[in-house]
Amino acid sequence: MKARSAPYLFIAPTMILLLAFGVLPILIALFVSFTDMNLAGLGNWSVIEFIGLDNYTKLFADPDFWQALTNTGIFAIIGVPCVVIISLVIALLLNRSGNWFFKALRTFYFVPAITAIVAISLVWGYLYNTQFGLFNYILSLVGLPPVQWLSDPVMVKVSLVLVAVWRGTGLNVIIFLAALQGVPKEYLEAASLDGASEFRKAVSVVIPLLRFAIFFVTITTIIAWLQFFDEPFVLTKGGPLGESTSVSLFLYQTGFSASQFGYASAGSVILFAIIAAITLIQLRTRRSDDDY
Amino acid sequence: MTITDLRETLAPSLDVPLSRAPRSARRSTARATTVIIGIILGIGALITAFPFIWMITSSVKPRSESVAYPPAVLPESPTFEYFVQLFQELDFGRYLVNTIAIVAISMIGLILMAMAGYGFAKFSFRGREPLFFLVLITMMIPVQVTMIPTYLILNGAKLTNTLIGIALPTLVSGFSVFLFRQFMVTIPTELIEAARIDGASELRIFWRIILPMSRPILAVQVVLTFIAGWNSFLWPLILANDERLYTLSVGVSLLNQQIATNPSLQMAAATLMVVPILIVFVIFQRFVVQGFALSGLK
């Protein structure tokens, strides 16, 4: 390996894979979104027709798509603040002590984040079960009526958000804990010398220093919730009557179950545009308050 | 600002009493607070872990107990018959082998990403900035957007229904390349120069010097890659039409379709998927937190 070509050879395999499965698909999605490609077109490209913006006009007139968009918005509005606040609080509390007990507790909080969603869904489906599930039994112990966790149009959203928050918190706790290691001890000592309480130190010293981590976690959490897929896919298949269908699930269903590749691609392009727009807005606001 | 600087700046105010309570009393209040926080966190941890406790205890309950009402947390007469059933009647042995194969393939991807991270960290070459920017951009693209085109690409390459095809779309990720680069930037360049002068080839330098020095970040990535490979669900689901290529996650999701029929069997399958991850994670979790800290995420 020659020194001059060495860097290219080192990055080539990864770059080729990233281009093939990261960048190229976006371009293909854009192209396919202007066609009527379906399962027949997959085998025989000559039957694919260019139909311009038809998919997009159809999509905006599709009540199912709007329902999926609305659901995704609701999921994100409830889910994002829950995940960010809960994981920040847990990380701050876990960071209080470095003894074996606190270290062992970390694992408990991380585990939901690293286990397979299909396994998790089975377990939660069982807990939510209306005939022999544990949750309704617990409710009955305190005299409450049983809840239709996954078949009531309102409760199904709450139930899915609960699973996703439970699952989404752990990774962010890790990120916050890592960031907390970077908080200079001197600042905290100085605050103690000034007589600041623990709570005051957390609010006035630690949280401002964690600004980048909070920003990072918020952005990635919003993106994750806009891509919300696994929980409704495995637990409800989007039901009842589309009440828990997210945009991603809608795309999967139109794309793979109904094989309307062109139509689903148009939806993908819109989802991508929404995510890109939100990310840009956040980066912009971040830049404007960068001076601390 | 160091602690001494700080003390000096604060010095004038040091002669005023610092706090109302005497020092020992303050220390014991702090102690008590830690204990209370520990208890709160302990309860929270139990609630968080509860679905897993429920899963494991239910996996050894006979079916009659698992659908009994009121439900009991602990099994009365534990049995392992559902684990046996998974392997004997449901082909989970094959799914397990496939899953391990996917994990093994993804470890190759790990080496590729380490190479790329090294390339971006320690060489200056034409096009480095735009190419690295491209790597970062790919982190933002949701999988559901690329799902259909990726399927079309793999279908065009005749890679559907192959383990390679299942592993390829997630083989490399922008985020991992980013983490490797962040770490490898800190390796002293003199070391690489010295090895070059001694006549070591570029690949040898990478393999013998860079990889061993990158052990902390490598450990994190091995854990994350193992977890991702083990849990991979979407691509096996989309690409494997042939049951012989199903992974554990696809096998487990098939059991979901028979919901309410046999929770014990489902919980046994879920346990089979979760317990290996738990073991890997408990052993390596300190590397994961360290690794995130090393990546400069502050």
Side-chain angles (χ1 to χ4, degrees):
Chain A
M1 205 187 270
K2 288 251 174 62
R4 276 189 64 183
S5 58
Y8 295 104
L9 293 173
F10 276 122
I11 67 167
T14 298
M15 289 315 291
I16 291 168
L17 285 166
L18 279 182
L19 285 173
F21 298 109
V23 181
L24 183 63
I26 292 281
L27 303 176
I28 296 180
L30 193 62
F31 175 76
V32 173
S33 75
F34 297 118
T35 70
D36 65 349
M37 184 164 190
N38 55 24
L39 200 59
L42 194 62
N44 180 4
W45 287 51
S46 60
V47 299
I48 301 172
E49 260 184 71
F50 191 74
I51 55 167
L53 290 173
D54 280 11
N55 282 327
Y56 290 91
T57 43
K58 203 173 121 203
L59 200 62
F60 282 117
D62 186 343
D64 291 345
F65 180 66
W66 283 108
Q67 189 183 23
L69 268 181
T70 316
N71 289 341
T72 307
I74 295 171
F75 288 138
I77 287 168
I78 320 175
V80 175
C82 286
V83 169
V84 176
I85 293 169
I86 294 174
S87 49
L88 183 60
V89 169
I90 293 176
L92 285 171
L93 294 180
L94 277 176
N95 196 49
R96 170 154 183 110
S97 163
N99 71 24
W100 66 270
F101 182 68
F102 279 67
K103 281 202 174 126
L105 284 181
R106 283 179 182 178
T107 311
F108 284 86
Y109 288 102
F110 298 164
V111 163
I114 53 163
T115 41
I117 177 64
V118 282
I120 281 170
S121 301
L122 284 187
V123 180
W124 280 86
Y126 185 24
L127 290 167
Y128 280 145
N129 188 290
T130 42
Q131 289 159 34
F132 43 78
L134 191 70
F135 286 170
N136 276 349
Y137 174 66
I138 293 171
L139 287 181
S140 76
L141 287 183
V142 289
L144 289 169
V147 170
Q148 300 292 315
W149 297 99
L150 298 176
S151 48
D152 178 81
V154 176
M155 270 320 288
V156 71
K157 294 192 179 71
V158 179
S159 304
L160 290 184
V161 167
L162 185 62
V163 180
V165 168
W166 174 77
R167 190 166 82 108
T169 304
L171 182 67
N172 296 320
V173 172
I174 299 190
I175 292 173
F176 281 134
L177 275 177
L180 280 167
Q181 294 185 359
V183 171
K185 295 249 182 331
E186 292 86 352
Y187 291 7
L188 295 173
E189 283 174 20
S192 304
L193 288 176
D194 287 345
S197 68
E198 294 290 328
F199 181 74
R200 190 61 206 265
K201 274 193 279 184
V203 173
S204 309
V205 181
V206 179
I207 291 179
L209 286 170
L210 288 184
R211 267 163 76 170
F212 179 70
I214 294 171
F215 169 76
F216 179 85
V217 164
T218 309
I219 272 205
T220 48
T221 308
I222 291 177
I223 295 179
W225 280 87
L226 292 177
Q227 299 176 32
F228 194 50
F229 177 78
D230 296 337
E231 286 82 357
F233 178 78
V234 192
L235 272 172
T236 62
K237 297 269 184 283
L241 293 172
E243 289 293 342
S244 67
T245 306
S246 63
V247 175
S248 291
L249 188 60
F250 173 84
L251 296 179
Y252 177 87
Q253 286 168 343
T254 44
F256 285 100
S257 307
S259 299
Q260 297 174 289
F261 294 132
Y263 191 53
S265 292
S268 311
V269 171
I270 289 171
L271 177 63
F272 180 60
I274 294 173
I275 290 177
I278 290 177
T279 313
L280 280 179
I281 292 169
Q282 286 190 305
L283 287 174
R284 196 49 66 76
T285 41
R286 157 96 185 141
R287 198 163 298 160
S288 62
D289 67 3
D290 215 13
D291 47 344
Y292 64 88
Chain B
M1 195 189 269
T2 66
I3 186 74
T4 24
D5 295 338
L6 234 145
R7 288 257 162 78
E8 273 157 29
T9 15
L10 288 169
S13 62
L14 277 179
D15 38 11
V16 271
L18 281 177
S19 84
R20 279 142 240 123
R23 189 165 263 241
S24 62
R26 249 201 312 157
R27 201 171 284 163
S28 69
T29 333
R31 219 356 167 3
T33 319
T34 309
V35 171
I36 292 167
I37 290 178
I39 292 169
I40 296 171
L41 282 174
I43 295 169
L46 275 183
I47 295 173
T48 311
F50 180 75
F52 294 113
I53 299 168
W54 179 245
M55 170 188 81
I56 293 169
T57 58
S58 301
S59 72
V60 292
K61 281 180 197 163
R63 188 177 177 277
S64 58
E65 277 185 45
S66 66
V67 296
Y69 193 90
V73 173
L74 292 175
E76 266 173 49
S77 45
T79 165
F80 284 96
E81 64 172 302
Y82 298 106
F83 289 94
V84 176
Q85 201 182 337
L86 285 178
F87 284 94
Q88 284 188 346
E89 291 166 34
L90 288 165
D91 225 3
F92 266 64
R94 186 188 292 276
Y95 305 159
L96 186 64
V97 171
N98 288 338
T99 307
I100 293 169
I102 298 281
V103 169
I105 297 173
S106 55
M107 291 299 163
I108 298 172
L110 191 65
I111 299 293
L112 297 181
M113 290 187 286
M115 285 168 60
Y118 174 52
F120 281 117
K122 284 295 165 191
F123 291 88
S124 55
F125 53 91
R126 191 186 285 241
R128 182 171 78 167
E129 273 68 36
L131 285 174
F132 192 63
F133 186 67
L134 202 70
V135 171
L136 297 182
I137 289 280
T138 58
M139 283 164 55
M140 266 180 41
I141 302 170
V143 66
Q144 289 80 17
V145 172
T146 55
M147 189 166 60
I148 291 163
T150 304
Y151 177 75
L152 297 177
I153 293 170
L154 290 169
N155 188 57
K158 301 256 179 289
L159 283 172
T160 52
N161 258 330
T162 62
L163 280 177
I164 302 275
I166 290 169
L168 264 187
T170 50
L171 196 58
V172 298
S173 81
F175 185 57
S176 295
V177 176
F178 174 74
L179 284 187
F180 272 123
R181 181 197 166 270
Q182 291 301 90
F183 184 85
M184 287 171 175
V185 162
T186 63
I187 294 176
T189 311
E190 295 79 14
L191 213 68
I192 302 165
E193 296 293 342
R196 259 186 213 132
I197 291 166
D198 287 346
S201 72
E202 295 294 332
L203 261 185
R204 199 181 155 83
I205 293 173
F206 172 73
W207 198 253
R208 282 297 175 74
I209 298 174
I210 305 298
L211 271 192
M213 288 191 75
S214 307
R215 217 172 279 152
I217 196 73
L218 212 51
V220 184
Q221 301 262 30
V222 168
V223 178
L224 294 181
T225 306
F226 179 88
I227 292 171
W230 183 267
N231 291 343
S232 66
F233 176 54
L234 189 67
W235 288 110
L237 180 77
I238 293 175
L239 283 176
N241 297 319
D242 189 338
E243 201 183 320
R244 287 177 311 154
L245 290 170
Y246 283 176
T247 54
L248 277 180
S249 55
V250 179
V252 171
S253 78
L254 290 180
L255 287 179
N256 190 36
Q257 290 162 5
Q258 310 148 16
I259 198 125
T261 54
N262 192 345
S264 295
L265 186 66
Q266 294 174 347
M267 292 308 110
T271 304
L272 189 67
M273 276 215 79
V274 168
V275 169
I277 289 288
L278 275 181
I279 295 169
V280 169
F281 191 73
V282 167
I283 296 173
F284 293 103
Q285 66 131 322
R286 68 196 174 92
F287 295 115
V288 177
V289 179
Q290 265 173 17
F292 273 101
L294 286 171
S295 69
L297 203 79
K298 297 178 183 145

